[in-house]
Amino acid sequence: MAKVTEEQVREALTDVIDPEIGLNVVDLGLVYRCEVDDDGVVEVDMTLTAIGCPLGDQIVSQAKQAIERLEGVKEARVRLVWSPPWRPEMMSERARMLLGF
């Protein structure tokens, strides 16, 4: 089984769209940590743009599914974190441009 890379995980997460904003979680700067171990277990810490986001569970579930579709991934563990708090400055330049920041 080929070992998946952090880059491949982040690329897979670009398929996860925040439905309220319409951009992917990577460009929004919501993915804080991504680690892949030798056994194919991927751990991701991510956040949301707001603590009370009603779609948080859906976004986390989609992230887990996107990662587990990658060849070489045995399990994805996606954890929602709130520190540090998300700020618009965390977005990619592309996202800031699309959203008018």
Side-chain angles (χ1 to χ4, degrees), residues 5-60:
T5 65
E6 179 182 339
E7 183 177 295
Q8 290 171 311
V9 172
R10 288 184 181 274
E11 179 64 29
L13 289 172
T14 63
D15 290 339
V16 180
I17 305 299
D18 181 313
E20 292 184 321
I21 300 174
L23 292 176
N24 73 70
V25 296
V26 175
D27 280 339
L28 285 172
L30 301 179
V31 179
Y32 287 171
R33 181 181 73 91
C34 175
E35 292 183 11
V36 182
D37 74 14
D38 291 335
D39 296 321
V41 176
V42 178
E43 293 186 1
V44 169
D45 287 351
M46 64 180 295
T47 195
L48 302 171
T49 57
I51 289 176
C53 177
L55 300 170
D57 289 342
Q58 175 184 334
I59 293 170
V60 168

Side-chain angles (χ1 to χ4, degrees), residues 8-9 12-13 15-16 42 44 46 57-71 73-78:
Q8 290 171 311
V9 172
L13 289 172
D15 290 339
V16 180
V42 178
V44 169
M46 64 180 295
D57 289 342
Q58 175 184 334
I59 293 170
V60 168
S61 176
Q62 288 176 359
K64 182 175 170 37
Q65 291 171 11
I67 297 165
E68 288 181 340
R69 281 194 295 266
L70 291 171
E71 182 178 345
V73 173
K74 178 180 171 187
E75 179 185 359
R77 300 174 185 159
V78 180

